[in-house]
Amino acid sequence: PAGTAPDWEAPPEFVPGRYGDLREERPASLLWALPCTPYAGADTRAWELTAAALEHSLLTTLRDRGVAYACAVWPELYSDAGLIVVSVATAPGQIGNCVQVVEQRLESFIADGPPPDTLILAGQALAARRVLAADDLESAARNAAPVRLRLHAAQPAFGCAATLASNATLRLVTAA
């Protein structure tokens, strides 16, 4: 054996740290993982709204200060743990400034919560994302595959649709 087995009943540990070589002369993708509650169907929309509000707040601050060119925030909810993931892309020479701005904004967001107008905008953004997500080719293929399975299981076209739907699901999960 390669050592003792991990204690599967123990809660997960989140260890802050820096992985990789950050150099100010190169662009960088920065990542924060903030612990949240595990998956619970009733809480999923609330975490999505929280992430959307934080994303809006961060985007506004980062844009106003000119320290990043991209930002995304999303919940990763699992049965035993959850994370709010913050991903920020910054230009060369801005890493230190970007880290400082993001961490200040995170502390403020955690301490004060989002303003009501930010929650309204976040809710509207989530609604728009759902409409757009339902209207893309991958979603159409994913949603059509089960119907084709029941109605046309013997036809070769189903195999293509099922493969496309499966690949679409994988791409959506890894892109999130």
Side-chain angles (χ1 to χ4, degrees):
T4 59
D7 180 5
W8 296 108
E9 300 299 318
E13 291 184 33
F14 298 101
V15 180
R18 182 172 286 172
Y19 304 95
D21 184 21
L22 291 176
R23 291 194 226 162
E24 281 290 337
E25 70 270 9
R26 297 191 308 202
S29 294
L30 307 172
L31 187 72
W32 286 260
L34 311 167
C36 67
T37 58
Y39 173 80
D43 295 338
T44 301
R45 296 243 190 231
W47 282 122
E48 289 173 348
L49 183 63
T50 300
L54 178 56
E55 182 177 72
H56 175 73
S57 178
L58 273 172
L59 280 169
T60 303
T61 304
L62 292 168
R63 182 192 61 225
D64 290 349
R65 303 221 184 138
V67 296
Y69 56 85
C71 174
V73 180
W74 67 91
E76 289 285 345
L77 305 174
Y78 304 102
S79 62
D80 62 343
L83 297 170
I84 297 291
V85 179
V86 177
S87 176
V88 178
T90 186
Q94 294 294 331
I95 295 171
N97 293 336
C98 185
V99 167
Q100 184 179 16
V101 169
V102 170
E103 290 182 355
Q104 287 172 349
R105 191 67 206 118
L106 288 174
E107 288 173 12
S108 171
F109 191 88
I110 291 167
D112 304 330
D117 60 332
T118 299
L119 282 175
I120 292 168
L121 288 172
Q124 292 170 343
L126 281 175
R129 286 179 190 169
R130 284 190 188 97
V131 169
L132 290 172
D135 195 30
D136 73 295
L137 180 59
E138 291 174 334
S139 293
R142 186 177 59 247
N143 293 334
V147 172
R148 289 185 182 155
L149 173 63
R150 287 194 306 271
L151 299 177
H152 306 288
Q155 294 183 2
F158 166 72
C160 296
T163 301
L164 177 59
S166 175
N167 291 343
T169 301
L170 290 174
R171 280 195 303 274
L172 290 173
V173 169
T174 57

